[in-house]
Amino acid sequence: MSLLDRGQETVTVYQEIVVTDEDGNIRTMPGTEGVTTVASVQLRAQSGTSARRNEQDNEGFETESVYRLRLPRSFPFVLGAQARVKWRGVFWSVIGDAQVFTGSPRTAHVEYTIRRT
């Protein structure tokens, strides 16, 4: 088993779904049924801009934690930007698009950036 398929954390993933609202508009939102899986979750360094924005926000009241999420390669779905992840009892939003690494069959994997919501 590859290190890319192991994770030390258990997360519940709520996939992005497409719905039609009361006005007939088509939009996306997190699903209501989650899929539980193992994952690798690691702290991601923030850019200087993110760090400054963090300092300028209401100090002590709002914090921004950003992590890298890697699901097992056997996970059957690619998460969209409206997907949510429940990790350690807290909901996290997927930020940006999936980062797909396709270097070789042994190293191919998908990573996501998540932020606490």
Side-chain angles (χ1 to χ4, degrees):
M1 175 180 270
S2 170
L3 290 175
L4 295 172
D5 296 322
R6 280 189 230 151
Q8 296 183 353
E9 301 289 337
T10 301
V11 299
T12 303
V13 177
Y14 297 86
Q15 300 175 63
E16 178 181 82
I17 60 171
V18 178
V19 296
T20 304
D21 65 13
E22 60 273 0
D23 296 326
N25 301 313
I26 297 174
R27 61 185 193 94
T28 57
M29 64 181 283
T32 56
E33 293 187 28
V35 177
T36 302
T37 185
V38 297
S40 173
V41 183
Q42 297 173 321
L43 187 62
R44 175 161 279 182
Q46 295 183 19
S47 69
T49 303
S50 295
R52 280 191 300 279
R53 187 176 65 233
N54 237 359
E55 291 173 3
Q56 292 170 353
D57 284 344
N58 300 324
E59 290 185 28
F61 295 102
E62 297 176 7
T63 61
E64 182 178 280
S65 299
V66 180
Y67 284 84
R68 179 183 79 161
L69 173 71
R70 187 176 62 236
L71 300 172
R73 292 183 291 179
S74 61
F75 193 76
F77 311 106
V78 174
L79 304 181
Q82 291 292 321
R84 291 179 80 190
V85 176
K86 189 173 184 181
W87 173 49
R88 295 186 175 180
V90 178
F91 282 101
W92 299 75
S93 296
V94 175
I95 305 301
D97 294 326
Q99 300 167 2
V100 181
F101 296 87
T102 59
S104 75
R106 289 182 183 246
T107 62
H109 63 283
V110 180
E111 290 181 3
Y112 305 93
T113 301
I114 58 174
R115 185 183 318 155
R116 188 174 53 220
T117 56

